[in-house]
Amino acid sequence: MSAILLCFVISLLRYFFLCSCDSIVDGNDRSGLLKKPDYKLSTPEMVMKNGYPVEIHEATTKDGYILSMHRIPYSPKSNNSRTNRPVVFLQHGLFCSSIDWVILGPGKALAYLLADEGYDVWLGNARGNVYSLKHTTLTPQQKDFWNFSWHEMGTYDLPAVIDYILARTRQQDVYYIGHSMGTTMFFVLTSLKPEYNTKFRLTIAFAPVVFMSDVKSDISKLAAFSRTGKQADQLYNSGIFFPPRTWAEHIQVACNNRTFTLCSTLIFLVAGFDPQELDPKLLPVILAHYPAGSSMKALVHYGQLMRTGKFQQYDHGRALNIMYYGTLEPPPYNLSAVTAPVSLYNGKNDWLSSIKDTEKLYSKLPNIVGMNQVPLDTFNHADFQWAKNAKTLLYNDVIKFMKNY
Ligand SMILES: *[C@@H]1O[C@H](CO)[C@@H](O)[C@H](O)[C@H]1NC(C)=O
Ligand SMILES: *[C@@H]1O[C@H](CO)[C@@H](O)[C@H](O)[C@H]1NC(C)=O
Ligand SMILES: *[C@@H]1O[C@H](CO)[C@@H](O)[C@H](O)[C@H]1NC(C)=O
Ligand SMILES: *[C@@H]1O[C@H](CO)[C@@H](O)[C@H](O)[C@H]1NC(C)=O
C-alpha cells in the first residue's frame, strides 16, 4: 500500500518536474550556443556559452558504470600559465547534476567563482543521472541498471572519479564540496574505505544528509513508508524522472512570472520555503534540468534513514539482510573512521538537513574543522546551489576558508 502511495507521489513529481536531456556537443561552436536558450543547454554547453574552457572526462567504476565529469580547468579571468592548480571536486545532490553548480551563471555560480580563484574545477555526475547513463554491459532499459542506492555511489563512483582525477592532475589530494547526497556519498566512502581519507585535503559539506530524524518536509517523509523484503527489492529496481525532452519547452511557457508561486511550490515543499532567493527568471531553466534522474533505491534508502534515525546500509528486510550482511539489521556506517577534515554548512530553514541532525553528525565525526550556519533565516536546502545571493551569503566565505586551509 505505502509502496503504491510512494509510486503515485513519484509519478506526480515526475509530472511536475520535467527535465530536458539534451545531448552534449563537444565542438567549439560558441556562436551557435549563444543563440540557444539556457534551458536547452547541457552543462558543457552552458560553460562554453559563458566563455569558460570545458572538458568532458569519463571514469569507469568497478561495477561497470561509465561516469561523465565536467571540468573547468581554468578561468579566462585568472592566470592560465599557473601550473599545479589545486583541484576541487564538486558532487551534486539527489536528482541533480553537474549543471546545478553553474546554473546561476558567471560571477555567481560556485564552479565559476572557484575557477576565477585559480582552482581546477571538476564536476561529478553520479550514476543514473542524464550524464552518467552508460555502462559496460547494461543499459538503462534493464532493471539491473537501477539496482543501486547512494551506497554504491559512495563505494564505487567516488573512488573511480577521485582516482581518475588524481592520476590525471598528478595531485596528492582534492578539495571536496558536496551538497546533500554529495555529502552522504562522501561519508559512505570514507567510513567504509578509510584509506581514502588522505585523498581529501578538506571537505565542505553543504546541507549534510546523514541522520534524518528531524526532517520537516512531509512530502519527503513519504519515502519512509517504503517496504523491505524480496518483492520490494525487485520493485525498487527502477529509475525515476526521465521526462521527454519536449516537456522543457512546455515548462518555459507554463512557469512564467505569474505562475511562479505554483511552479516553485513543489521545490519549496521539499527544500523549505524561500521565495526571496529563487530568481523567477531562473526557475524555468532549473526546472528544465531538474530532476536529472536517479534510482528509486536511492530515495528508498533515504526513507529508511528517516524511519530509523540511523545512518546505515540498505535494509533489504531481515531474511535478505542475513544473506547480504550476516545480521538481521543492516550494519551502520562507522563515522569514527572519517578522519578527513570536514567543515559543515547548514541552512536555518532547511527542511531536509536540520541543525539538530547536523549537530548529531558533528558529535560523531573525529575531525571537524568548521560548523557554520548561512546567515539568512529563510535559507533552504536548494539555496546552496540556486540562491540569488549564494555568493555573498555562502560562497565567498567558503572560498576564503579553502584558501587558508
Ligand atoms: C602568471 O603565473 C606565472 C607563474 O606563476 C608568473 O610567472 C606570471 O608572472 C603570472 N602572470 C600574471 C599576469 O600574474
Ligand atoms: C542487486 O544487486 C545485488 C549485488 O549488488 C544482488 O545481490 C541483488 O540480487 C540485486 N537485486 C536484485 C533485485 O536484482
Ligand atoms: C517579472 O516580475 C518582475 C517583478 O515582479 C518584473 O520586474 C519583471 O519584468 C517580470 N518579468 C516578466 C518577463 O514579465
Ligand atoms: C570504527 O572506526 C574506528 C576508527 O577507525 C575503530 O577504532 C572502531 O573499531 C570502528 N568501529 C567498528 C564498530 O568497526
Side-chain angles (χ1 to χ4, degrees):
M1 181 57 210
S2 349
I4 293 167
L5 189 66
L6 183 65
C7 288
F8 175 72
V9 172
I10 301 285
S11 338
L12 204 70
L13 283 170
R14 190 177 183 148
Y15 181 78
F16 280 102
F17 288 145
L18 309 151
C19 84
S20 73
C21 310
D22 278 297
S23 60
I24 293 164
V25 295
D26 209 355
N28 274 318
D29 181 20
R30 192 157 165 246
S31 56
L33 290 177
L34 288 170
K35 287 187 224 115
K36 246 175 141 182
D38 276 0
Y39 73 88
K40 284 191 171 171
L41 301 178
S42 65
T43 308
E45 288 176 324
M46 205 179 261
V47 174
M48 212 186 291
K49 180 179 175 181
N50 285 312
Y52 281 72
V54 65
E55 295 171 12
I56 302 166
H57 293 262
E58 284 185 344
T60 304
T61 67
K62 280 219 170 90
D63 58 349
Y65 290 83
I66 301 166
L67 311 172
S68 292
M69 288 168 277
H70 300 139
R71 179 192 194 188
I72 308 176
Y74 61 89
S75 158
K77 294 176 193 153
S78 76
N79 186 346
N80 293 3
S81 65
R82 210 182 116 195
T83 51
N84 269 329
R85 291 165 177 276
V87 172
V88 57
F89 177 76
L90 282 72
Q91 180 57 53
H92 63 77
L94 184 61
F95 304 133
C96 292
S97 77
S98 55
I99 206 146
D100 296 295
W101 300 109
V102 298
I103 209 161
L104 287 169
K108 287 181 166 181
L110 184 57
Y112 296 121
L113 297 175
L114 288 164
D116 293 346
E117 290 294 330
Y119 291 90
D120 178 1
V121 181
W122 293 73
L123 312 175
N125 284 295
R127 60 180 61 194
N129 90 3
V130 282
Y131 302 113
S132 292
L133 286 175
K134 288 198 275 180
H135 188 279
T136 49
T137 57
L138 299 170
T139 70
Q141 280 72 42
Q142 290 171 280
K143 276 188 125 193
D144 284 347
F145 181 93
W146 298 104
N147 182 9
F148 63 81
S149 140
W150 35 260
H151 173 88
E152 285 74 17
M153 301 179 200
T155 49
Y156 293 113
D157 292 6
L158 282 186
V161 296
I162 297 296
D163 288 341
Y164 178 96
I165 293 170
L166 291 180
R168 176 87 193 194
T169 59
R170 300 193 184 161
Q171 296 281 322
Q172 299 296 310
D173 50 27
V174 304
Y175 288 92
Y176 183 97
I177 302 181
H179 174 230
S180 188
M181 184 180 76
T183 70
T184 319
M185 290 161 63
F186 170 82
F187 292 116
V188 167
L189 170 66
T190 45
S191 62
L192 284 179
K193 296 179 188 277
E195 66 275 17
Y196 272 87
N197 278 292
T198 55
K199 302 191 184 194
F200 299 99
R201 187 181 306 183
L202 170 68
T203 290
I204 303 284
F206 287 165
V209 179
V210 169
F211 296 108
M212 299 189 84
S213 41
D214 191 28
V215 170
K216 293 183 185 70
S217 158
D218 286 324
I219 201 165
S220 308
K221 275 195 231 167
L222 287 172
F225 294 103
S226 54
R227 290 276 174 109
T228 56
K230 212 167 184 168
Q231 278 164 338
D233 254 23
Q234 298 277 347
L235 177 69
Y236 300 145
N237 273 7
S238 62
I240 21 183
F241 304 148
F242 283 103
R245 201 179 297 195
T246 46
W247 277 109
E249 304 276 352
H250 299 303
I251 279 284
Q252 305 314 304
V253 180
C255 291
N256 53 37
N257 249 5
R258 259 171 296 156
T259 50
F260 175 75
T261 313
L262 183 73
C263 285
S264 58
T265 296
L266 266 166
I267 293 183
F268 295 148
L269 282 175
V270 174
F273 277 79
D274 189 10
Q276 283 306 314
E277 282 298 318
L278 189 57
D279 183 350
K281 280 203 289 299
L282 198 60
L283 182 67
V285 184
I286 290 173
L287 291 179
H289 291 98
Y290 180 91
S294 193
S295 72
M296 182 85 169
K297 261 192 161 155
L299 188 65
V300 168
H301 198 172
Y302 275 131
Q304 295 177 356
L305 300 195
M306 292 180 212
R307 196 165 60 219
T308 61
K310 292 180 187 158
F311 184 45
Q312 61 185 20
Q313 293 195 36
Y314 193 84
D315 188 351
H316 299 272
R318 292 181 154 218
L320 290 178
N321 285 345
I322 295 260
M323 195 172 99
Y324 289 130
Y325 310 121
T327 47
L328 287 172
E329 300 296 325
Y333 296 104
N334 183 4
L335 290 167
S336 315
V338 182
T339 52
V342 180
S343 185
L344 305 169
Y345 287 80
N346 258 138
K348 292 182 194 166
N349 186 35
D350 188 330
W351 284 14
L352 288 175
S353 168
S354 78
I355 290 170
K356 201 169 129 195
D357 281 335
T358 306
E359 277 168 353
K360 186 166 172 197
L361 172 63
Y362 179 95
S363 72
K364 306 258 180 205
L365 288 172
N367 194 5
I368 289 273
V369 294
M371 172 83 174
N372 314 273
Q373 276 173 26
V374 182
L376 179 73
D377 286 343
T378 51
F379 204 85
N380 72 20
H381 198 70
D383 283 337
F384 284 90
Q385 47 193 17
W386 298 336
K388 267 189 277 192
N389 299 305
K391 179 178 190 282
T392 47
L393 288 168
L394 172 69
Y395 300 157
N396 285 346
D397 201 54
V398 168
I399 293 172
K400 200 170 135 205
F401 187 71
M402 286 168 64
K403 287 202 146 175
N404 292 325
Y405 203 83

